[in-house]
Amino acid sequence: MRRSGAAGHAAGTLGAGAFRLQWQHPGYGKGRLKALAEGPGAGLVAPMDDCGDGSRFLLEPSGAYGRGRYVKRMPGQGCVGIRGPDSGAGTEAVMGRCVGKGGQVFRIEPVP
């Protein structure tokens, strides 16, 4: 998952403002992102091979509308963010309190 500036995923609409986010990993291919709510990985956002197992996210524009930068909110769990200052490959994405800036702003592109 990458911060604003480099797309690593795309959005597929589910209607009513909800989206499933597709992850594109160079070594593993496509999957969907899921916010883990329980178990040892609780609070992490993980790519899932089964596209039907992805979470439903609400996308909120960040900055000028139409620039492709969004905050990913999941009702009841908060917003997706990057843990720490790194944004390179392997950086963990986690759920946390929504602040709508910094590590919670992502570039998202529609699925063709």
Side-chain angles (χ1 to χ4, degrees), residues 2 23-24 26 32 43 49 51 59 61 79 84-86 89 93-94 107 112:
R2 301 186 186 198
W23 176 252
Q24 298 177 2
R32 299 283 185 195
D49 291 334
C51 289
L59 302 181
C79 290
D86 189 20
V94 296
R107 182 180 177 103

Side-chain angles (χ1 to χ4, degrees), residues 17-19 21 35 55-60 70-81 95-100 104 106 108:
F19 296 84
L21 300 176
S55 296
R56 297 171 61 98
F57 293 93
L58 302 177
L59 302 181
E60 300 174 357
Y70 297 89
V71 172
K72 298 181 272 191
R73 181 182 298 271
M74 187 163 171
Q77 290 191 38
C79 290
V80 177
M95 298 303 298
R97 183 178 63 84
C98 295
V99 295
Q104 289 186 349
F106 297 87
I108 301 175

Side-chain angles (χ1 to χ4, degrees), residues 1-2 8-10 21-26 29-33 47:
M1 184 163 308
R2 301 186 186 198
H9 48 268
L21 300 176
Q22 176 181 309
W23 176 252
Q24 298 177 2
H25 188 280
K30 295 179 183 177
R32 299 283 185 195
L33 295 179

